[in-house]
Amino acid sequence: MRQCERFADEKKVDVIELIAKCTKDLRHIATEELYDLVLDVYQRNDDCDNALALWYKMQEADVVPSKKFVQNICSMLKANNKNLPLELISLLDKETRSKILNQ
């Protein structure tokens, strides 16, 4: 995980995504944490398009996003006046949903 954090600092998201893809079915590796790291890089760069692309890749690979991931991507998209996919909104709890949608 430390190495992946280093890759995130170096903005090597392709490497982290590849590791996440390869470790998807391994129980001792928290794949969702790897996707959180990738999203963190996109947030630092304010890159909504790649953040959404990451979300869709996760959907295709049947990866369940962490609560942190869902909150962060929704906040990021809302802050940049982007449309929020209904699938993302439905993953938010009621309180967080109203907070993000009413920003």
Side-chain angles (χ1 to χ4, degrees):
M1 199 57 196
R2 270 191 236 142
Q3 185 62 44
C4 288
E5 289 169 358
R6 185 171 163 210
F7 288 143
D9 289 340
E10 296 170 358
K11 299 180 182 180
K12 295 181 178 178
V13 293
D14 293 340
V15 175
I16 301 170
E17 284 187 55
L18 182 60
I19 292 170
K21 186 176 179 181
C22 293
T23 60
K24 180 183 169 219
D25 295 322
L26 299 177
R27 289 186 218 170
H28 63 282
I29 297 181
T31 306
E32 65 276 353
E33 288 181 29
L34 298 173
Y35 285 106
D36 288 343
L37 284 175
V38 174
L39 183 62
D40 287 344
V41 173
Y42 292 145
Q43 282 182 294
R44 284 183 290 207
N45 294 329
D46 216 19
D47 189 348
C48 294
D49 293 333
N50 277 322
L52 267 176
L54 176 65
W55 160 252
Y56 289 120
K57 284 181 196 174
M58 291 171 69
Q59 293 282 291
E60 290 171 9
D62 291 326
V63 174
V64 177
S66 68
K67 186 175 180 178
K68 173 187 168 188
F69 182 96
V70 174
Q71 289 175 347
N72 288 345
I73 194 170
C74 286
S75 294
M76 177 184 173
L77 293 172
K78 183 70 175 171
N80 285 286
N81 297 318
K82 300 285 186 180
N83 291 329
L84 297 171
L86 292 176
E87 301 89 9
L88 269 173
I89 295 171
S90 68
L91 294 174
L92 293 168
D93 60 56
K94 246 183 182 179
E95 184 179 319
T96 308
R97 185 181 310 143
S98 65
K99 182 177 140 184
I100 289 175
L101 295 177
N102 294 321
Q103 285 180 343

